[in-house]
Each structure stands twice: as C-alpha cells, then as structure tokens.
C-alpha cells in the first residue's frame, strides 16, 4: 500500500514512478505476478487514476526483468474507511480488484466509480 498527502496535479508527478517501482520490486522479490499495489490519496486526481490503470499495458524495467501488467488500484481515504467499516474479507476484495483490473470497456473515471468506489 502506498499513500500520499498530495492533492494537486503534483500527485501524478510525485507518485507514478515510485509506486510502479515498489510494485515491480515486490513482484521480483516474491516471484508473484498476482501482486497488487494499492495507491491511497485523500483526493484522487483523474489523471492519476488513468495513469495507474494504464500501467497494465506499460513496460516497466526492474533490476532483473521487464514486466507489463502492473496491477495498481487507486483508492481514496473514504474508500479505505468504507472497506474497514463493512469488514470486507481479503478474498472478496481481491476478486473486486481483479475484475476491475481486467475491465477494458469503460473510461477511467467511470471505471473507478463503478468498479471500485461504488462496488459493494
């Protein structure tokens, strides 16, 4: 889980590379391509949602390999509070993230609203 306090357009500039790099390192160290990174911010910028979602098609170079399919899901602090309040089980949350990650049909903001934020 990666969290930021930035809320302006600098969120994209400050967080894109480190979140991707940390996820890549985790995947390589644990040899687990099913690993997700969760990016948490008080306010999610639409550009950040779009960029993190597009990482599944982006080639990222780690220390020992090149990887596509980086799985990064963005959540707001309110999303985290809701997940804690409803006491969601890890297996349910993982399935929700997996369905959202695999979706290719809807634009980024609708994707977040329909498959992440308002998913029960």
């Amino acid at each position: 889980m990666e969290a930021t306090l930035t809320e302006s357009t600098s969120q994209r500039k400050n967080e894109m590379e480190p979140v991707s790099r940390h996820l890549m390192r985790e995947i390589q160290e644990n040899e687990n391509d099913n690993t997700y990174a969760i990016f948490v911010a008080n306010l999610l910028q639409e550009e950040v949602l779009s960029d993190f979602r597009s990482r599944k098609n982006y080639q990222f170079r780690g220390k020992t390999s090149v990887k596509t399919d980086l799985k990064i899901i963005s959540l707001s602090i309110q999303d985290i509070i809701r997940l804690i309040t409803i006491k969601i089980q890890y297996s349910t949350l993982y399935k929700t993230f997996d369905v959202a990650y695999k979706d290719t049909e809807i634009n980024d903001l609708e994707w977040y609203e329909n498959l992440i934020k308002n998913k029960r």
Side-chain angles (χ1 to χ4, degrees):
M1 185 176 292
E2 300 265 349
T4 187
L5 297 174
T6 60
E7 294 181 351
S8 66
T9 55
S10 65
Q11 189 179 81
R12 180 181 186 187
K13 181 178 80 175
N14 293 335
E15 304 299 339
M16 290 305 302
E17 191 278 331
V19 172
S20 300
R21 179 172 33 88
H22 295 158
L23 175 57
M24 182 68 169
R25 184 175 47 214
E26 181 70 23
I27 290 168
Q28 289 178 330
E29 287 176 1
N30 295 293
E31 299 178 2
N32 185 353
D33 288 340
N34 294 318
T35 303
Y36 276 86
I38 308 303
F39 174 73
V40 181
N42 187 42
L43 221 96
L44 294 170
Q45 298 293 323
E46 187 172 353
E47 296 83 7
V48 171
L49 287 170
S50 179
D51 279 354
F52 278 141
R53 189 173 179 214
S54 72
R55 293 297 172 155
K56 69 181 174 182
N57 302 313
Y58 174 81
Q59 259 191 354
F60 195 86
R61 294 195 180 279
K63 287 183 179 180
T64 59
S65 64
V66 176
K67 173 107 177 82
T68 55
D69 300 325
L70 291 183
K71 297 174 175 146
I72 303 172
I73 301 291
S74 300
L75 299 175
S76 71
I77 292 173
Q78 288 304 313
D79 296 330
I80 297 288
I81 291 169
R82 181 180 53 83
L83 294 171
I84 291 168
T85 302
I86 66 172
K87 298 179 182 173
I88 194 165
Q89 296 294 310
Y90 173 78
S91 58
T92 303
L93 186 60
Y94 189 90
K95 287 177 192 171
T96 299
F97 289 167
D98 202 46
V99 166
Y101 172 77
K102 290 176 181 173
D103 180 84
T104 60
E105 299 300 316
I106 54 180
N107 75 43
D108 300 321
L109 193 54
E110 288 177 3
W111 170 84
Y112 169 73
E113 294 287 335
N114 295 336
L115 297 178
I116 302 294
K117 183 178 181 178
N118 296 321
K119 187 72 175 173
R120 299 282 177 203

